[in-house]
Amino acid sequence: MNELTMNLKSHSKIPLYEQIYGYIKTDIQSGRIGYREKLPSTRALSKHLEVSRSTVELAYEQLLSEGYIEAEPYRGYFVAQTEELYCFKKERVQPTLPKEEKKKYRYDFSPNGVDLRSFPYNAWRKLSKDILMDDRTELFRSGDSKGEYGFREAIGSYLHQARGVNCSPDQIIVGAGSDYILMLLSMVLGKEHRIAFEDPAYKQAYRMANALSYETVPVSLDKNGMMVSALEESGADIAYVTPSHQYPTGTVMPINRRMELLRWALKGEGRYIVEDDYDSEYRYKGKPIPALQGYDAHEKVVYLGTFSRSVAPAIRLSYMVLPQPLMEEYERKNGFVHTTVSKVDQLIMQRFLEEGYYERHLNKTRALYKSRHDLLLDGLKPMSDILTVSGEHAGVHLLLTFRNGMTEGELIKRAAKEEIRVYGLSDYRIRETGEEKPTILLGYANLTEEQIRDAVKILEGCFRR
């Protein structure tokens, strides 16, 4: 077989490697690709589908791990013996079910929201026009595999001034979205690691680690963040943390816990801390908390950042800062990987940073979110007898922990009946202990002040019935 044709959706929430994996898996299960049939090489399929070779390799690795295909040295990939599986599927006649309509909500308190009404359209349009004004053919040539040097310089300068990150442009790698950055990082680290995640966790990173075939382990939190004693007991050698604003609880890791975490990393040669600094720009009490990476004197912290939360999700501009030993490993292993972000987009964002547009945009959105944050807190005060608010000092969501006798599921259902969407903290937990208090998340970035005011009044009626 020389090629496989499939309709990949680049704007889907499902990563490309999962889409490729799903297409091939379905074809094998249905018998369209038969036993012992040879699959295209990763190089050939990546060229045919116009995706990176690493994306195809991830799809093949997942198929291998599930036993759908087999790898033969020097020969390639072949479909494994799965006749019983797809014969069984053929015998069963599945009834055609009507497509379930997606429930519509009047108000959606998504904790992942971004106010796109505040997107700097005029500035972005001006920079795009300026960059494309001249007929510069170099704009459309392949650029630096790590990202354009000028863009990486601008990122490094911003990180040093705003986050206290110490790095050179050579340590920065740019990629299209956090999922891609995590895939690159996995290629650098290798698969022989156990990764500890905060519990509750940023589930997308947790899912990615599992999809990349890592052994993962949840580690409990206390009021200061990930418990280092529990981390030590877990046997993990990589800790994935969000110290400046733990997602989703909003905990800020104090300096003593940060030092404790760095000492944990020093105890083992192969230990690393992955610091996800996803929304450090938004803080409403005191000064922004410096990044953990700035305290790292022994090259133990991998720093992850993104512009998707602060500018717009569709920008798909993320980056990581690698410690020097891992950067050398990256150059040795991954030097062949091309950047997934167009040179034009990088140059626009570079100018956006260098010419002060980004700082002005942050000041504007901070003021907007602070106003909505304060309004939401005021609206919740009449319910102080039935709930406790936490996580209110940073980010774009709050946590409400209830003591009104309702379960988390009941709270969510009551709100949904009034066409208001709220989110349960249990969705972010890796494991259940049975001692969890009913807690919901309310994000406010997507909603106007008028919508927040109206929605909170309705919620009070829901939660007091």
Side-chain angles (χ1 to χ4, degrees), residues 65-91:
S65 66
E66 294 185 17
Y68 286 101
I69 64 174
E70 298 171 340
E72 297 187 9
Y74 308 109
R75 295 194 62 214
Y77 297 95
F78 295 84
V79 175
Q81 181 77 46
T82 56
E83 290 173 334
E84 293 180 2
L85 173 64
Y86 62 72
C87 284
F88 175 72
K89 286 183 174 286
K90 284 179 182 177
E91 290 168 5

Side-chain angles (χ1 to χ4, degrees), residues 107 109 115 117 364-380 443-458:
Y107 306 117
F109 281 95
D115 183 3
R117 294 179 293 272
K364 177 183 176 182
T365 51
R366 278 193 197 105
L368 280 173
Y369 294 159
K370 176 68 163 61
S371 180
R372 295 170 192 177
H373 162 276
D374 293 348
L375 181 67
L376 180 55
L377 284 177
D378 285 341
L380 292 169
Y444 46 84
N446 273 339
L447 301 174
T448 65
E449 292 188 10
E450 183 179 347
Q451 289 173 325
I452 291 172
R453 194 178 288 111
D454 187 33
V456 171
K457 287 179 181 177
I458 297 170

